[in-house]
Amino acid sequence: MNSLISLQRFILFLNLLPLFFTFSNCHIPNTLEGPFLPVTVPFDTSLRGDTEDLPDDDPRVRRQVTGFQPEQISLSLSTTHHSVWLSWITGEYQIGNNIKPLDPKTVSSVVRYGTSRLELVNEAKGESLVYSQLYPFEGLQNYTSGIIHHVRLTGLEPSTLYYYQCGDPSLQAMSDIYHFRTMPITGPQSYPGRVAIVGDLGLTYNTTTTISHMTSNEPDLILLIGDVTYANLYLTNGTGSNCYSCSFPQTPIHETYQPRWDYWGRFMQNLVSRVPIMVVEGNHEIEKQARNQTFVAYSSRFAFPSEESGSSSTFYYSFNAGGIHFIMLGAYIDYEKTGQQYKWLESDLANVDRSLTPWLVATWHPPWYSSYKAHYREAECMRIEVEELLYSYGVDIVFNGHVHAYERSNRVYNYSLDPCGPVYITVGDGGNREKMSIPFADEPDNCPDPSTTPDPYMGGFCATNFTFGPAAGKFCWDRQPDYSAFRESSFGYGIFEVKNETWALWTWYRNQDSYKEVGDQIYIVRQPDICPFRQRVYSNCVASF
């Protein structure tokens, strides 16, 4: 049996040999060669690490429209190529003590679109809303948004360029003409060209470098793995800090400066008005306000394919992009086996047809496998509840953020090297103002006190000492863990390119101090022949287990 597997691997290697070479003919490693010995790239102390936010008067964040003309235009996907969501905002936000929300009924939500720029022959209408961020404390300013519009376009053809305008034609308040390309048809030989993956983005000068470099790579889809604007690093008067609890320890509630959301939407429009962006919540989106409401800005500003994917929540959903099935999970709501998210996840996984979508990719914000001191083992309770389910269905890759650095794992399951476990990739290095994560938990005197690891929004204490392996009896490893294949503290983002049913190229670009370099690159190879997974068998159009 082992000789047969070796022969199959050798044949596969010969068939895909051209993929092993970049333009400089350098060998690109692949996961069949792993597990790899751990590598740490030393931190470059000469890097400036400029994490200053763009100021309010930067022209890239100022309002450029008048009246009810659309702004902050963005695209997101539905569950398949047949439909997309368009979102935008009309009208101005208000912030102060005497705010009066706009009436969403006064402005229509209309999109005109077609395959010719000169013939926008199709029309779709949607819904609109206004949200508020309110604080029941004297001296804090309240906020109410402009009118947020969400319109779903349906009946679209795959891999097709569409042109569109959005707004309200009755008010002569229509946008310029933009364009987007739909996802390829769902199938094992059909994939988007480049999927950009980024986390913990914010709106700093480093963010602008990340987005500039990402744009130059011409992505077909963007995944933002939580922590969008970092508006909650500001008081309601607009005073900000890269450490809220350090600078504002006496505030009666964790305030947030909601105009930063509008600044972010304006800055991002040039990219996300033509490239779909799929977002999952992070801890900086909690934004607690009056009546204990949380995540209101996040849930209001983005359109999610929740209903289309059988979810009742904006915190978790799924969608297809060609032959990839993406699962977006929430770490800051109930993930226990008895909860709604887990039951939805079970159903979603059971209905994935791997003959159509061979690649199964999962994302959520805080990583399970990270060796940095920051947020070390913080999501352990979620891992204990969910890991076995993802493993049993053969999830190929997991993308996380939260830790402001880069790390790629070997294939791992329950902290042990496993050729059938997912590859975990942390990309929480988009450029936010909280600066980079540099210390590692395995360095002397850096292992955190176990009692400090739980996050109050993520459940109780689950991260106990290891009971097996090289770290048995310890809370931290005393060297870079075996599961950690590569780690580096630098700002950047990644590009995920699926080549066929079993091979995909992952490239992480470091963009510290504005230079753009390939920091890490590897082919991730699926092995369905040696890694059986639970799946639904389709026969005569009747599904059964």
Side-chain angles (χ1 to χ4, degrees):
M1 182 64 180
N2 290 336
S3 61
L4 177 60
I5 292 173
S6 299
L7 178 61
Q8 289 173 332
R9 288 184 177 180
F10 181 69
I11 294 173
L12 188 60
F13 175 81
L14 290 178
N15 288 337
L16 292 160
L17 193 59
L19 297 179
F20 289 126
F21 297 91
T22 62
F23 295 111
S24 60
N25 292 326
C26 294
H27 172 66
I28 301 175
N30 68 83
T31 53
L32 296 179
E33 301 169 1
F36 299 96
L37 294 176
V39 172
T40 297
V41 176
F43 178 66
D44 185 349
T45 56
S46 69
L47 300 177
R48 72 179 189 274
D50 185 1
T51 57
E52 290 297 317
D53 272 335
L54 297 187
D56 296 6
D57 59 358
D58 189 292
R60 292 169 288 186
V61 305
R62 301 306 299 163
R63 191 169 189 257
Q64 303 294 329
V65 301
T66 59
F68 287 104
Q69 290 180 314
E71 65 160 353
Q72 304 181 49
I73 301 168
S74 66
L75 284 157
S76 56
L77 298 180
S78 186
T79 48
T80 68
H81 71 268
H82 298 291
S83 64
V84 303
W85 284 94
L86 268 167
S87 304
W88 69 93
I89 293 180
T90 55
E92 297 189 60
Y93 69 78
Q94 301 166 57
I95 186 166
N97 298 319
N98 298 302
I99 59 173
K100 182 180 180 181
L102 298 173
D103 182 359
K105 296 179 181 178
T106 60
V107 183
S108 297
S109 307
V110 178
V111 177
R112 291 174 175 169
Y113 63 101
T115 55
S116 169
R117 184 183 184 91
L118 301 177
E119 297 182 12
L120 305 181
V121 296
N122 304 297
E123 183 174 284
K125 296 182 178 180
E127 299 180 347
S128 59
L129 69 137
V130 167
Y131 81 90
S132 297
Q133 186 82 12
L134 305 175
Y135 297 103
F137 299 99
E138 185 177 353
L140 304 191
Q141 299 185 65
N142 294 322
Y143 170 95
T144 184
S145 70
I147 300 171
I148 302 171
H149 305 262
H150 299 303
V151 178
R152 185 183 175 200
L153 313 188
T154 59
L156 305 178
E157 295 297 321
S159 302
T160 301
L161 189 66
Y162 283 89
Y163 298 88
Y164 72 91
Q165 277 185 307
C166 60
D168 185 345
S170 69
L171 299 177
Q172 296 185 337
M174 295 294 285
S175 72
D176 292 335
I177 296 176
Y178 298 89
H179 65 271
F180 66 89
R181 186 173 296 277
T182 51
M183 288 294 106
I185 194 168
T186 300
Q189 303 300 325
S190 180
Y191 300 97
R194 297 182 183 91
V195 181
I197 316 287
V198 67
D200 303 69
L201 195 55
L203 191 55
T204 69
Y205 290 100
N206 272 307
T207 304
T208 67
T209 301
T210 298
I211 295 303
S212 175
H213 291 167
M214 182 189 296
T215 301
S216 71
N217 264 313
E218 299 182 346
D220 300 281
L221 173 64
I222 303 165
L223 266 61
L224 176 47
I225 316 299
D227 285 0
V228 180
T229 69
Y230 289 79
N232 74 335
L233 293 185
Y234 286 79
L235 302 180
T236 62
N237 64 11
T239 302
S241 171
N242 61 10
C243 178
Y244 184 99
S245 60
C246 306
S247 300
F248 317 122
Q250 303 302 320
T251 55
I253 190 173
H254 192 133
E255 302 171 41
T256 175
Y257 188 60
Q258 288 295 294
R260 298 299 302 183
W261 280 94
D262 296 283
Y263 301 166
W264 189 89
R266 292 165 187 160
F267 173 78
M268 292 293 291
Q269 175 177 299
N270 183 56
L271 178 60
V272 299
S273 61
R274 55 189 174 85
V275 180
I277 183 168
M278 308 303 288
V279 183
V280 71
E281 76 279 3
N283 56 297
H284 283 271
E285 280 72 73
I286 294 172
E287 296 186 318
K288 188 176 179 180
Q289 58 166 298
R291 300 187 299 277
N292 291 322
Q293 290 191 80
T294 53
F295 296 102
V296 177
Y298 161 84
S299 296
S300 301
R301 288 177 178 266
F302 298 104
F304 306 92
S306 301
E307 183 177 351
E308 301 102 278
S309 60
S311 168
S312 60
S313 171
T314 60
F315 300 115
Y316 53 90
Y317 59 92
S318 65
F319 63 95
N320 292 337
I324 313 170
H325 186 72
F326 287 99
I327 298 173
M328 316 289 278
L329 298 179
Y332 299 95
I333 60 170
D334 184 10
Y335 45 72
E336 295 183 349
K337 292 182 175 65
T338 56
Q340 290 300 312
Q341 179 176 208
Y342 191 94
K343 294 175 183 177
W344 170 85
L345 178 59
E346 282 185 306
S347 175
D348 189 82
L349 288 168
N351 284 287
V352 174
D353 184 351
R354 299 297 280 271
S355 68
L356 292 176
T357 54
W359 287 87
L360 187 53
V361 177
T363 75
W364 59 89
H365 185 57
W368 295 345
Y369 291 98
S370 170
S371 59
Y372 288 85
K373 180 179 180 180
H375 307 298
Y376 180 69
R377 301 183 71 184
E378 186 177 277
E380 189 74 356
C381 290
M382 183 184 182
R383 185 192 70 81
I384 291 170
E385 291 290 318
V386 182
E387 184 178 26
E388 192 279 330
L389 180 62
L390 298 183
Y391 179 82
S392 69
Y393 277 97
V395 168
D396 299 299
I397 307 170
V398 172
F399 291 108
N400 302 118
H402 203 39
V403 175
H404 301 162
Y406 174 74
E407 186 165 19
R408 170 176 53 84
S409 80
N410 287 304
R411 292 193 176 275
V412 60
Y413 172 63
N414 193 27
Y415 288 105
S416 299
L417 299 180
D418 189 316
C420 299
V423 174
Y424 289 82
I425 298 175
T426 298
V427 284
D429 53 353
N432 72 83
R433 70 176 294 166
E434 284 189 319
K435 299 185 179 180
M436 285 177 287
S437 299
I438 299 174
F440 302 109
D442 49 87
E443 294 175 324
D445 302 320
N446 274 345
C447 184
D449 183 331
S451 65
T452 66
T453 58
D455 183 293
Y457 284 93
M458 294 184 62
F461 178 76
C462 298
T464 57
N465 287 353
F466 291 103
T467 59
F468 59 91
K474 306 173 185 176
F475 188 69
C476 300
W477 292 60
D478 54 12
R479 56 179 171 81
Q480 185 173 354
D482 292 343
Y483 63 77
S484 175
F486 184 96
R487 61 189 185 183
E488 179 179 351
S489 296
S490 179
F491 294 120
Y493 68 98
I495 295 289
F496 180 56
E497 304 171 75
V498 176
K499 303 300 182 180
N500 56 36
E501 294 177 65
T502 52
W503 286 69
L505 177 63
W506 167 253
T507 306
W508 173 65
Y509 291 93
R510 65 166 70 91
N511 56 245
Q512 187 64 40
D513 272 0
S514 298
Y515 60 69
K516 175 184 176 182
E517 292 183 0
V518 173
D520 183 37
Q521 194 168 50
I522 189 170
Y523 281 103
I524 298 173
V525 187
R526 300 181 59 247
Q527 299 184 81
D529 53 332
I530 68 168
C531 295
F533 48 81
R534 296 168 63 184
Q535 62 179 325
R536 183 166 292 205
V537 178
Y538 290 80
S539 177
N540 297 324
C541 299
V542 177
S544 60
F545 284 105

